[in-house]
Coordinates of all heavy atoms in Angstrom, one line a residue:
G1 N 0.8 -1.2 0.0 CA 0.0 0.0 0.0 C 0.9 1.3 0.0 O 2.1 1.2 0.2
V2 N 0.2 2.4 -0.2 CA 0.9 3.7 -0.2 C 0.9 4.2 1.3 O -0.1 4.1 2.0 CB 0.1 4.6 -1.1 CG1 0.7 6.0 -1.0 CG2 0.1 4.2 -2.5
S3 N 2.1 4.6 1.7 CA 2.2 5.2 3.1 C 1.5 6.5 3.1 O 1.4 7.2 2.1 CB 3.6 5.3 3.5 OG 4.2 6.4 3.0
N4 N 1.2 7.0 4.3 CA 0.7 8.3 4.5 C 1.7 9.4 4.1 O 1.3 10.5 3.7 CB 0.2 8.5 5.9 CG -1.1 7.8 6.2 OD1 -1.8 7.4 5.3 ND2 -1.3 7.5 7.5
H5 N 3.0 9.1 4.1 CA 4.0 10.0 3.7 C 3.9 10.2 2.2 O 4.0 11.3 1.7 CB 5.4 9.5 4.0 CG 5.7 9.4 5.5 ND1 6.1 10.5 6.2 CD2 5.6 8.4 6.4 CE1 6.2 10.2 7.5 NE2 5.9 8.9 7.6
Q6 N 3.8 9.1 1.5 CA 3.7 9.2 0.0 C 2.5 9.9 -0.5 O 2.5 10.6 -1.5 CB 3.8 7.8 -0.6 CG 5.1 7.1 -0.5 CD 5.0 5.6 -0.9 OE1 4.1 4.9 -0.5 NE2 5.9 5.2 -1.7
G7 N 1.4 9.8 0.3 CA 0.2 10.4 -0.1 C 0.1 11.9 0.4 O -0.9 12.5 0.1
G8 N 1.1 12.4 1.0 CA 1.1 13.8 1.5 C 0.4 14.0 2.8 O 0.1 15.2 3.1
Y9 N 0.1 13.0 3.5 CA -0.7 13.1 4.7 C 0.1 13.1 6.0 O -0.3 13.3 7.1 CB -1.8 12.0 4.9 CG -2.9 12.1 3.8 CD1 -2.8 11.4 2.6 CD2 -4.0 12.9 4.1 CE1 -3.8 11.5 1.7 CE2 -5.0 13.0 3.2 CZ -4.9 12.3 2.0 OH -5.9 12.4 1.0
A10 N 1.5 12.7 5.9 CA 2.3 12.6 7.0 C 3.7 13.2 6.8 O 4.1 13.3 5.7 CB 2.4 11.1 7.4
V11 N 4.3 13.5 8.0 CA 5.7 14.0 8.0 C 6.4 13.4 9.2 O 5.8 13.2 10.2 CB 5.7 15.5 7.9 CG1 5.1 16.1 9.2 CG2 7.1 16.1 7.7
D12 N 7.7 13.2 9.1 CA 8.5 12.8 10.2 C 9.5 14.0 10.4 O 10.0 14.6 9.5 CB 9.4 11.6 9.9 CG 8.5 10.3 9.9 OD1 7.4 10.3 10.4 OD2 9.0 9.3 9.4
L13 N 9.6 14.4 11.7 CA 10.5 15.5 12.0 C 11.7 15.0 12.8 O 11.6 14.0 13.5 CB 9.8 16.5 12.9 CG 8.5 17.1 12.4 CD1 7.8 18.1 13.4 CD2 8.7 17.8 11.0
A14 N 12.8 15.7 12.6 CA 14.1 15.3 13.4 C 14.5 16.5 14.2 O 14.4 17.6 13.8 CB 15.2 14.9 12.4
V15 N 15.0 16.1 15.4 CA 15.5 17.2 16.3 C 17.0 17.2 16.0 O 17.8 16.2 16.1 CB 15.3 16.8 17.8 CG1 16.0 17.8 18.7 CG2 13.8 16.8 18.1
I16 N 17.5 18.5 15.7 CA 18.9 18.7 15.4 C 19.4 19.7 16.4 O 18.8 20.8 16.5 CB 19.1 19.2 14.0 CG1 18.5 18.3 12.9 CG2 20.6 19.5 13.7 CD1 19.1 17.0 12.8
I17 N 20.4 19.4 17.2 CA 20.9 20.3 18.2 C 22.4 20.4 18.0 O 23.1 19.4 17.9 CB 20.6 19.8 19.7 CG1 19.1 19.7 19.9 CG2 21.3 20.7 20.7 CD1 18.7 19.1 21.2
N18 N 22.8 21.6 17.8 CA 24.3 21.9 17.5 C 24.7 21.0 16.3 O 25.8 20.5 16.3 CB 25.1 21.7 18.7 CG 24.8 22.6 19.8 OD1 24.5 23.8 19.6 ND2 24.9 22.2 21.0
G19 N 23.9 20.9 15.3 CA 24.2 20.2 14.1 C 24.2 18.7 14.2 O 24.5 18.0 13.3
Q20 N 23.8 18.2 15.3 CA 23.7 16.7 15.6 C 22.3 16.2 15.7 O 21.5 16.8 16.5 CB 24.5 16.4 16.8 CG 26.0 16.7 16.8 CD 26.7 15.9 15.7 OE1 26.6 14.7 15.6 NE2 27.5 16.6 14.9
Y21 N 22.0 15.1 15.1 CA 20.7 14.4 15.3 C 20.5 14.0 16.7 O 21.4 13.4 17.3 CB 20.6 13.2 14.3 CG 19.4 12.4 14.5 CD1 18.1 12.9 14.3 CD2 19.5 11.1 14.8 CE1 17.0 12.2 14.4 CE2 18.3 10.3 15.0 CZ 17.1 10.8 14.8 OH 16.0 10.1 14.9
N22 N 19.4 14.4 17.3 CA 19.2 14.1 18.7 C 17.9 13.2 18.9 O 16.9 13.5 18.3 CB 18.9 15.4 19.5 CG 18.8 15.2 20.9 OD1 17.7 14.8 21.4 ND2 19.8 15.6 21.7
Q23 N 18.1 12.1 19.6 CA 17.0 11.1 19.8 C 16.3 11.2 21.1 O 15.6 10.3 21.5 CB 17.5 9.7 19.5 CG 17.9 9.6 18.0 CD 18.3 8.1 17.7 OE1 17.8 7.2 18.3 NE2 19.3 8.0 16.9
V24 N 16.6 12.2 21.9 CA 16.0 12.3 23.3 C 14.5 12.4 23.2 O 14.0 13.4 22.6 CB 16.6 13.5 24.1 CG1 16.0 13.6 25.4 CG2 18.1 13.3 24.2
L25 N 13.8 11.5 23.7 CA 12.3 11.4 23.6 C 11.6 12.6 24.1 O 10.7 13.1 23.5 CB 11.8 10.1 24.3 CG 10.4 9.7 24.1 CD1 10.2 9.5 22.6 CD2 10.1 8.5 24.8
E26 N 12.1 13.2 25.2 CA 11.5 14.4 25.7 C 11.4 15.6 24.7 O 10.5 16.4 24.7 CB 12.1 14.9 27.0 CG 11.9 13.9 28.2 CD 12.8 12.7 28.1 OE1 13.9 12.7 27.4 OE2 12.5 11.7 28.8
N27 N 12.5 15.7 23.9 CA 12.5 16.7 22.8 C 11.3 16.5 21.8 O 10.7 17.5 21.4 CB 13.8 16.7 22.1 CG 15.0 17.2 23.0 OD1 14.8 18.0 23.9 ND2 16.1 16.7 22.7
Y28 N 11.1 15.3 21.5 CA 10.0 15.0 20.5 C 8.6 15.2 21.2 O 7.7 15.7 20.5 CB 10.1 13.5 20.0 CG 11.3 13.4 19.1 CD1 12.5 13.1 19.5 CD2 11.1 13.7 17.7 CE1 13.6 13.1 18.7 CE2 12.2 13.7 16.8 CZ 13.4 13.3 17.3 OH 14.5 13.3 16.5
H29 N 8.5 15.0 22.5 CA 7.2 15.3 23.1 C 7.0 16.8 23.2 O 5.9 17.2 23.1 CB 7.2 14.6 24.5 CG 7.1 13.1 24.5 ND1 6.3 12.4 23.7 CD2 7.8 12.2 25.2 CE1 6.4 11.1 23.9 NE2 7.4 11.0 24.8
T30 N 8.1 17.5 23.4 CA 7.9 19.0 23.4 C 7.5 19.5 22.1 O 6.6 20.3 22.0 CB 9.3 19.6 23.8 OG1 9.7 19.2 25.1 CG2 9.2 21.2 23.8
I31 N 8.1 19.0 21.0 CA 7.7 19.4 19.6 C 6.2 19.0 19.4 O 5.4 19.7 18.9 CB 8.6 18.7 18.6 CG1 10.0 19.4 18.6 CG2 8.0 18.8 17.2 CD1 11.0 18.7 17.8
A32 N 5.9 17.8 19.9 CA 4.5 17.3 19.7 C 3.5 18.2 20.4 O 2.4 18.5 19.8 CB 4.4 15.8 20.2
N33 N 3.8 18.6 21.6 CA 2.8 19.4 22.3 C 2.6 20.7 21.5 O 1.5 21.2 21.4 CB 3.4 19.7 23.7 CG 3.2 18.6 24.6 OD1 2.3 17.7 24.4 ND2 4.0 18.5 25.6
T34 N 3.7 21.3 21.0 CA 3.6 22.5 20.2 C 2.8 22.3 18.9 O 2.0 23.1 18.6 CB 5.0 23.1 19.9 OG1 5.7 23.3 21.2 CG2 4.9 24.4 19.2
M35 N 3.2 21.2 18.2 CA 2.5 20.9 17.0 C 1.0 20.7 17.2 O 0.1 21.2 16.5 CB 3.1 19.7 16.3 CG 4.5 19.9 15.8 SD 4.5 20.5 14.2 CE 3.8 19.2 13.2
L36 N 0.6 20.0 18.2 CA -0.8 19.7 18.5 C -1.5 20.9 18.9 O -2.7 21.1 18.5 CB -0.9 18.5 19.6 CG -0.4 17.2 19.1 CD1 -0.3 16.2 20.3 CD2 -1.3 16.6 18.0
Q37 N -0.9 21.8 19.7 CA -1.6 23.0 20.1 C -1.8 23.9 18.9 O -2.9 24.5 18.8 CB -0.7 23.7 21.2 CG -0.8 23.1 22.5 CD 0.2 23.8 23.5 OE1 0.8 24.8 23.2 NE2 0.3 23.2 24.7
A38 N -0.8 24.0 18.1 CA -0.9 24.9 16.9 C -2.0 24.3 15.9 O -2.8 25.1 15.4 CB 0.4 25.0 16.1
A39 N -2.0 23.0 15.7 CA -3.0 22.4 14.9 C -4.4 22.6 15.4 O -5.4 22.9 14.7 CB -2.7 20.9 14.7
A40 N -4.6 22.4 16.7 CA -5.9 22.6 17.4 C -6.3 24.1 17.2 O -7.5 24.3 17.0 CB -5.8 22.2 18.8
S41 N -5.4 25.0 17.3 CA -5.8 26.4 17.2 C -6.4 26.8 15.9 O -7.1 27.8 15.8 CB -4.6 27.3 17.6 OG -3.7 27.4 16.5
I42 N -6.0 26.0 14.8 CA -6.6 26.3 13.5 C -7.5 25.2 13.1 O -7.8 25.0 11.9 CB -5.4 26.6 12.5 CG1 -4.5 25.4 12.3 CG2 -4.7 27.9 12.8 CD1 -3.5 25.5 11.2
K43 N -7.9 24.3 14.0 CA -8.9 23.3 13.8 C -8.5 22.3 12.8 O -9.3 21.8 11.9 CB -10.2 23.9 13.5 CG -10.8 24.7 14.6 CD -12.1 25.3 14.3 CE -12.8 26.2 15.3 NZ -12.0 26.9 16.3
V44 N -7.2 21.9 12.8 CA -6.7 20.8 11.9 C -6.4 19.6 12.8 O -5.5 19.6 13.7 CB -5.4 21.2 11.2 CG1 -4.8 20.1 10.5 CG2 -5.6 22.4 10.3
P45 N -7.2 18.5 12.6 CA -7.0 17.3 13.4 C -5.7 16.6 13.1 O -5.5 16.2 11.9 CB -8.2 16.4 13.0 CG -9.2 17.3 12.4 CD -8.4 18.4 11.8
L46 N -4.8 16.6 14.0 CA -3.5 16.0 13.8 C -3.2 14.8 14.7 O -3.7 14.8 15.9 CB -2.4 17.1 14.1 CG -1.0 16.9 13.7 CD1 -0.8 16.8 12.2 CD2 -0.1 18.0 14.3
V47 N -2.6 13.8 14.1 CA -2.3 12.6 14.9 C -0.8 12.6 15.2 O 0.0 12.8 14.2 CB -2.7 11.3 14.1 CG1 -2.3 10.1 14.8 CG2 -4.2 11.4 13.8
Y48 N -0.4 12.3 16.4 CA 1.0 12.2 16.8 C 1.3 10.7 17.0 O 0.7 10.0 17.8 CB 1.2 13.0 18.1 CG 2.6 12.8 18.7 CD1 3.7 12.9 18.0 CD2 2.7 12.6 20.1 CE1 5.0 12.8 18.5 CE2 4.0 12.4 20.6 CZ 5.1 12.5 19.9 OH 6.3 12.4 20.4
G49 N 2.3 10.3 16.2 CA 2.7 8.9 16.3 C 3.3 8.4 17.7 O 3.2 7.3 18.0
G50 N 3.8 9.4 18.4 CA 4.2 9.1 19.8 C 3.1 8.7 20.8 O 3.4 8.2 21.8
S51 N 1.9 8.9 20.4 CA 0.8 8.6 21.3 C 0.2 7.2 21.0 O -0.6 6.7 21.7 CB -0.4 9.6 21.1 OG -0.9 9.5 19.8
W52 N 0.8 6.5 19.9 CA 0.3 5.2 19.6 C 0.9 4.2 20.6 O 1.9 4.4 21.3 CB 0.8 4.8 18.2 CG 0.2 5.6 17.1 CD1 -0.9 6.3 17.1 CD2 0.8 5.8 15.8 NE1 -1.1 6.9 15.9 CE2 -0.1 6.7 15.1 CE3 2.0 5.4 15.2 CZ2 0.2 7.1 13.8 CZ3 2.2 5.9 13.9 CH2 1.3 6.7 13.2
S53 N 0.2 3.1 20.8 CA 0.6 2.0 21.7 C 1.8 1.3 21.2 O 1.9 1.0 20.0 CB -0.6 1.1 22.0 OG -1.7 1.7 22.5
A54 N 2.7 0.9 22.1 CA 3.8 0.1 21.7 C 3.3 -1.2 21.1 O 2.3 -1.7 21.5 CB 4.7 -0.2 23.0
P55 N 4.0 -1.8 20.2 CA 5.3 -1.4 19.7 C 5.2 -0.5 18.5 O 6.2 -0.2 17.8 CB 5.9 -2.7 19.2 CG 4.7 -3.5 18.7 CD 3.6 -3.1 19.6
K56 N 4.1 0.1 18.2 CA 3.9 0.9 17.0 C 4.3 2.4 17.3 O 4.3 3.2 16.3 CB 2.4 0.9 16.6 CG 2.1 1.5 15.3 CD 0.7 1.4 14.9 CE 0.4 2.1 13.6 NZ -0.9 2.1 13.2
T57 N 4.7 2.8 18.4 CA 5.0 4.2 18.8 C 6.0 4.7 17.8 O 6.9 4.1 17.3 CB 5.5 4.3 20.2 OG1 5.6 5.7 20.5 CG2 6.8 3.6 20.5
D58 N 5.8 6.0 17.4 CA 6.7 6.6 16.3 C 6.8 8.1 16.7 O 6.0 8.9 16.1 CB 6.0 6.4 15.0 CG 6.9 6.7 13.8 OD1 8.0 7.2 14.0 OD2 6.4 6.6 12.6
S59 N 7.7 8.4 17.6 CA 7.7 9.8 18.2 C 8.1 10.9 17.2 O 8.0 12.1 17.6 CB 8.7 9.8 19.4 OG 8.1 8.9 20.4
D60 N 8.6 10.6 16.1 CA 8.9 11.7 15.1 C 7.9 11.9 14.1 O 8.0 12.7 13.1 CB 10.3 11.5 14.5 CG 10.4 10.2 13.6 OD1 9.4 9.4 13.6 OD2 11.4 10.0 12.9
H61 N 6.7 11.2 14.2 CA 5.7 11.1 13.1 C 4.5 11.9 13.5 O 4.0 11.9 14.6 CB 5.3 9.6 13.0 CG 4.3 9.4 11.9 ND1 4.6 9.2 10.6 CD2 2.9 9.4 12.0 CE1 3.5 9.0 9.9 NE2 2.5 9.1 10.7
F62 N 4.0 12.7 12.5 CA 2.8 13.5 12.6 C 2.0 13.2 11.3 O 2.6 13.2 10.2 CB 3.0 15.0 12.7 CG 3.8 15.3 14.0 CD1 5.2 15.2 14.0 CD2 3.1 15.6 15.1 CE1 5.9 15.5 15.2 CE2 3.8 15.9 16.3 CZ 5.2 15.9 16.3
E63 N 0.7 13.1 11.4 CA -0.1 12.9 10.2 C -1.5 13.6 10.4 O -2.0 13.7 11.5 CB -0.3 11.5 9.8 CG -1.0 10.6 10.8 CD -1.1 9.1 10.3 OE1 0.0 8.5 10.1 OE2 -2.2 8.6 10.2
L64 N -2.1 13.9 9.2 CA -3.4 14.4 9.2 C -4.4 13.3 9.6 O -4.2 12.1 9.1 CB -3.8 15.0 7.9 CG -3.1 16.2 7.5 CD1 -3.4 16.6 6.0 CD2 -3.3 17.4 8.4
N65 N -5.4 13.5 10.4 CA -6.4 12.5 10.8 C -7.2 12.1 9.5 O -7.9 12.9 8.9 CB -7.3 13.1 11.8 CG -8.2 12.0 12.4 OD1 -8.7 11.2 11.7 ND2 -8.5 12.1 13.7
R66 N -7.0 10.8 9.1 CA -7.7 10.4 7.9 C -9.2 10.3 8.0 O -9.8 10.3 6.9 CB -7.1 9.0 7.5 CG -5.6 9.0 7.2 CD -5.3 9.9 6.0 NE -5.7 9.3 4.7 CZ -5.0 8.5 4.0 NH1 -3.8 8.2 4.3 NH2 -5.5 8.0 2.8
A67 N -9.7 10.4 9.2 CA -11.2 10.5 9.3 C -11.7 11.8 8.7 O -12.8 11.9 8.3 CB -11.6 10.3 10.7
F68 N -10.8 12.9 8.8 CA -11.2 14.2 8.3 C -10.6 14.5 6.9 O -11.0 15.4 6.2 CB -10.8 15.2 9.3 CG -11.5 15.1 10.6 CD1 -10.9 14.4 11.6 CD2 -12.7 15.7 10.8 CE1 -11.5 14.2 12.9 CE2 -13.3 15.5 12.0 CZ -12.8 14.8 13.1
Y69 N -9.5 13.8 6.6 CA -8.8 14.1 5.3 C -8.6 12.7 4.6 O -7.5 12.2 4.7 CB -7.4 14.7 5.6 CG -7.5 16.1 6.3 CD1 -7.4 16.2 7.7 CD2 -7.7 17.2 5.5 CE1 -7.5 17.4 8.3 CE2 -7.9 18.4 6.2 CZ -7.8 18.5 7.5 OH -7.9 19.7 8.1
P70 N -9.6 12.2 4.0 CA -9.5 10.9 3.3 C -8.7 11.0 2.1 O -8.5 12.0 1.5 CB -11.0 10.6 3.0 CG -11.6 11.9 2.8 CD -10.9 12.8 3.8
A71 N -8.1 9.8 1.7 CA -7.4 9.7 0.5 C -8.4 9.7 -0.7 O -9.6 9.5 -0.5 CB -6.6 8.4 0.5
S72 N -7.9 9.9 -1.9 CA -8.7 9.9 -3.0 C -9.5 8.6 -3.1 O -8.9 7.6 -2.9 CB -7.9 10.1 -4.3 OG -7.3 11.4 -4.3
G73 N -10.8 8.7 -3.3 CA -11.6 7.6 -3.4 C -12.2 7.1 -2.1 O -13.1 6.3 -2.1
E74 N -11.7 7.6 -1.0 CA -12.3 7.2 0.3 C -13.5 8.1 0.6 O -13.5 9.3 0.1 CB -11.3 7.4 1.5 CG -10.1 6.4 1.4 CD -9.2 6.6 2.6 OE1 -9.4 7.5 3.4 OE2 -8.2 5.9 2.7
H75 N -14.5 7.6 1.3 CA -15.7 8.4 1.6 C -15.5 9.1 2.9 O -15.2 8.5 3.9 CB -16.9 7.5 1.6 CG -18.1 8.2 2.0 ND1 -18.8 9.1 1.2 CD2 -18.8 8.2 3.1 CE1 -19.8 9.6 1.8 NE2 -19.9 9.1 3.0
A76 N -15.8 10.4 2.9 CA -15.9 11.2 4.1 C -16.4 12.5 3.7 O -16.4 12.9 2.6 CB -14.5 11.3 4.8
D77 N -16.9 13.2 4.7 CA -17.5 14.6 4.4 C -16.4 15.6 4.8 O -16.6 16.5 5.6 CB -18.7 14.8 5.2 CG -19.9 13.9 4.8 OD1 -20.0 13.6 3.6 OD2 -20.6 13.4 5.7
A78 N -15.3 15.6 4.1 CA -14.2 16.4 4.4 C -14.5 17.9 4.2 O -13.9 18.8 4.8 CB -12.9 16.1 3.5
E79 N -15.4 18.2 3.3 CA -15.8 19.6 3.0 C -16.2 20.3 4.3 O -16.0 21.5 4.4 CB -16.8 19.7 1.9 CG -16.4 19.2 0.6 CD -16.5 17.6 0.5 OE1 -17.3 17.0 1.2 OE2 -15.7 17.1 -0.3
Q80 N -16.9 19.6 5.1 CA -17.4 20.3 6.3 C -16.3 20.6 7.3 O -16.5 21.4 8.2 CB -18.5 19.4 7.0 CG -18.0 18.1 7.6 CD -19.1 17.4 8.3 OE1 -20.0 18.0 8.9 NE2 -19.1 16.1 8.1
Y81 N -15.1 20.1 7.1 CA -14.0 20.4 8.0 C -12.9 21.2 7.3 O -11.8 21.3 7.7 CB -13.3 19.0 8.4 CG -14.3 18.2 9.1 CD1 -14.9 17.1 8.5 CD2 -14.7 18.5 10.4 CE1 -15.8 16.3 9.2 CE2 -15.6 17.7 11.1 CZ -16.2 16.5 10.5 OH -17.1 15.8 11.1
S82 N -13.3 21.9 6.2 CA -12.4 22.7 5.5 C -11.9 23.9 6.4 O -12.6 24.3 7.3 CB -13.0 23.3 4.2 OG -14.0 24.2 4.5
L83 N -10.7 24.3 6.1 CA -10.1 25.4 6.9 C -10.0 26.6 6.1 O -9.5 26.6 5.0 CB -8.7 24.9 7.3 CG -7.8 25.8 8.1 CD1 -8.5 26.1 9.5 CD2 -6.4 25.3 8.3
N84 N -10.4 27.7 6.7 CA -10.3 29.0 6.1 C -9.2 29.8 6.8 O -9.4 30.4 7.9 CB -11.7 29.7 6.2 CG -11.6 31.1 5.5 OD1 -10.7 31.5 4.9 ND2 -12.8 31.8 5.6
I85 N -8.0 29.9 6.2 CA -6.9 30.7 6.8 C -7.0 32.1 6.2 O -7.1 32.3 5.0 CB -5.6 30.0 6.4 CG1 -5.5 28.6 7.1 CG2 -4.4 30.8 6.9 CD1 -4.3 27.8 6.7
G86 N -6.9 33.0 7.0 CA -6.9 34.4 6.6 C -8.1 35.2 6.9 O -8.3 36.4 6.7
G87 N -9.1 34.5 7.5 CA -10.3 35.1 8.0 C -11.4 35.5 7.0 O -12.3 36.2 7.3
N88 N -11.2 35.0 5.8 CA -12.2 35.3 4.8 C -13.3 34.3 4.7 O -13.2 33.2 4.9 CB -11.6 35.4 3.4 CG -10.7 36.6 3.3 OD1 -10.9 37.6 3.9 ND2 -9.6 36.4 2.5

């Protein structure tokens, strides 16, 4: 199947500190809190891979909630969840 990354629904983020890749879990949770708050403030349902149950946990992964943003051909009423940025 096609991954959510290939479909444009997901992204993985990396923590870089002083030019070095950092895998400290707390850093990813800090980023996740910020990402989730920002997404909620503009009403974009976001899924954080670090909240999944082990062994599936994926702390650098974020994706659009597919219940609100279906892939082509999937059925959902995505239009009712459209986002109007800019206040128009």
Side-chain angles (χ1 to χ4, degrees):
V2 175
S3 82
N4 287 338
H5 293 278
Q6 291 171 312
Y9 292 93
V11 64
D12 288 343
L13 302 179
V15 174
I16 307 294
I17 298 176
N18 296 324
Q20 299 293 314
Y21 174 60
N22 184 283
Q23 296 183 34
V24 175
L25 192 57
E26 290 79 19
N27 292 330
Y28 288 90
H29 291 316
T30 299
I31 291 170
N33 287 334
T34 302
M35 292 275 293
L36 293 168
Q37 287 176 5
S41 75
I42 59 172
K43 298 179 178 30
V44 172
L46 191 64
V47 176
Y48 172 48
S51 67
W52 296 335
S53 299
K56 190 179 179 182
T57 187
D58 191 358
S59 296
D60 63 351
H61 180 89
F62 297 86
E63 66 182 57
L64 294 174
N65 186 323
R66 294 300 286 271
F68 297 92
Y69 299 95
S72 295
E74 291 181 1
H75 175 72
D77 295 324
E79 295 80 27
Q80 67 179 321
Y81 301 104
S82 64
L83 177 63
N84 180 2
I85 298 175
N88 294 326

